[in-house]
Amino acid sequence: MIKVDLQHSGLSIADLNEAKVKKVHEMIINKSGKGNDFLGWIEWPKTFDKKEYEEMKKVASSLRNKIDVLVTVGIGGSYLGIRAADEMIRGINHSDKVQVIYAGHTMSSTYVAQLSEYLKGKKFGICVISKSGTTTEPGIAFRALEKQLIEQVGVEASKELIVAVTDSSKGALKTLADNKGYPTFVIPDDIGGRFSVLTPVGIFPLLVAGVNTDNIFAGAIKAMDELVQGDLTNEAYKYAAARNALYNEGYKAEALVAYELQMQYTAEWWKQLFGESEGKDNKGLYPTSMIFSTDLHSLGQWVQEGARNVLFETVIKVKEPVANMLVEADNDNYDGLNYLAGKSFHEINSTAIEGVIDAHVNTGKMPNIVLEFDKMNDVQFGYLVYFFEIAVAMSGYLLEVNPFDQPGVEVYKYNMFKLLGKPGVK
Ligand code: PA5
């Protein structure tokens, strides 16, 4: 479901470090590398708790019947994967009964106040998500939204409208949920935030959104079964080794490029996955993203003619659209577009991809790795999650960093807590 094409990257298979890939593969499967206590995601699509999954389905179905809006409250790994899946699978302007909106990823008082205003009089529920259970951003947003919900429906009814996803036993969120009688689902200890979209973190809100999560798991299992080889015949490893080779050639940044607007948050999720996993010890490609055609009309100039040997592109090409539209013939043809009549938007978009790759690679001398995706659906989403997770494990170890920690994220928190006068922080 994902094929890696290196023909526009300036690399051949011989340029990739297959010997090191083989060694790192052994480290991954034997769980002998740095951060190996965070490898729970490797078997998760097959080993997840089926009883908890059935319980989630029940609670989600009951919640779905009671609400029109689900507010998920979370940040980083407790936010991006949900939005990536929802937008890729249901689309942006879908007409499903339940709208999912987001909080806890910003401390903008304007955003929170406007969200609160929007929710007035609406039938809404809250899924609050935090692995640590102590993150400030979702903490203060939840405090405000919980209060509003209780004011709107009363304490008893609110217990059926609030669900927490957090650690099995520790953290303020677990304590709060247990004391207030909110159902909780568990984020496993051995799965880090950015690897957690297939745990209750992503699965519970997606169930409420009516997404077919069985199909997401089916896609992840397919990836698990297909991406097993310990060499460059493994497409995820090929991608990891190619980006590592470009990094070693001196490239500093990789832009994930999608021609599907619905994949904007897939790219945001990917940025966290790669940025937090690799950006340490003063190493790592800077992960950025562009959505074309939008960004062809803003960043396209830089990509074509700006600084060279800094950025390379990884382009996602989707083979088949979930829905298609044709450009119709028009009798007047004032806009002169009849030459496109009868062609589908997808055909035109696909032709644009060829033209842009040619311009960026051959004229602009910008390496392009191409990832071919089948479709933007639930199965593909599960597949891509596993593909990128296994790729980042390989890529991080090729770079000789621990891909599973994020010590740098703590520095700003310490400063913020100190300035805000948090008890116990000096
Ligand atoms: O990858 C990570 O661990 C972080 O970016 C977290 O996802 C983010 O800080 C949210 O943490 P938590 O789920 O503990 O609230």
Side-chain angles (χ1 to χ4, degrees), residues 60-229:
S61 150
S62 150
L63 183 56
R64 182 172 162 82
N65 286 331
K66 294 189 178 99
I67 60 172
D68 296 323
V69 179
L70 176 72
V71 186
T72 77
V73 182
I75 192 167
S78 298
Y79 157 60
L80 291 166
I82 308 158
R83 192 160 185 175
D86 188 32
E87 294 198 358
M88 178 167 151
I89 299 166
R90 290 201 305 172
I92 297 169
N93 302 311
H94 63 80
S95 48
D96 187 80
K97 168 187 187 298
V98 175
Q99 181 195 8
V100 178
I101 51 183
Y102 303 90
H105 55 321
T106 174
M107 292 194 286
S108 158
S109 63
T110 306
Y111 180 87
V112 180
Q114 287 175 346
L115 173 63
S116 161
E117 195 55 37
Y118 175 77
L119 292 171
K120 272 186 193 153
K122 289 210 165 54
K123 291 202 282 184
F124 79 96
I126 304 173
C127 178
V128 53
I129 307 165
S130 176
K131 181 167 157 65
S132 63
T134 56
T135 309
T136 312
E137 289 87 342
I140 58 173
F142 178 65
R143 189 182 266 215
L145 293 168
E146 180 199 34
K147 182 168 177 286
Q148 177 171 350
L149 186 58
I150 291 172
E151 279 167 8
Q152 283 184 206
V153 302
V155 176
E156 279 317 303
S158 75
K159 290 182 186 168
E160 294 186 359
L161 299 172
I162 298 176
V163 171
V165 179
T166 189
D167 187 85
S168 62
S169 57
K170 53 181 194 301
L173 180 56
K174 176 68 181 159
T175 310
L176 180 155
D178 286 350
N179 279 292
K180 295 196 174 183
Y182 305 145
T184 58
F185 295 107
V186 175
I187 311 175
D189 287 344
D190 57 356
I191 300 184
R194 57 191 176 276
F195 291 82
S196 70
V197 59
L198 302 180
T199 73
V201 167
I203 297 300
F204 182 77
L206 292 169
L207 281 166
V208 180
V211 168
N212 186 333
T213 52
D214 290 350
N215 283 350
I216 295 183
F217 280 121
I221 288 170
K222 191 170 162 53
M224 224 177 134
D225 290 342
E226 283 181 11
L227 304 170
V228 285
Q229 310 91 320

Side-chain angles (χ1 to χ4, degrees), residues 365-382:
K365 308 291 172 217
M366 170 80 62
N368 275 206
I369 296 173
V370 177
L371 304 180
E372 276 187 13
F373 282 39
D374 286 349
K375 231 176 173 170
M376 281 194 300
N377 61 13
D378 38 25
V379 181
Q380 180 80 55
F381 185 80

Side-chain angles (χ1 to χ4, degrees), residues 1-12:
M1 298 190 83
I2 301 182
K3 289 272 164 274
V4 182
D5 176 359
L6 297 183
Q7 65 170 309
H8 305 291
S9 66
L11 297 167
S12 69

Side-chain angles (χ1 to χ4, degrees), residues 239-240 242-244 246-247 251-257 270-271 274-275 278 284-290 310-315 366-369 371 388 395:
Y239 165 59
R243 64 195 298 286
N244 183 260
L246 290 169
Y247 177 73
Y251 286 90
K252 303 280 181 239
E254 173 184 15
L256 190 70
V257 176
W270 172 91
K271 283 195 275 199
F274 280 85
E278 294 198 318
L285 284 164
Y286 176 76
T288 183
S289 63
M290 293 182 281
V310 175
L311 178 81
F312 68 89
E313 293 171 291
T314 293
V315 180
M366 170 80 62
N368 275 206
I369 296 173
L371 304 180
F388 283 125
S395 186

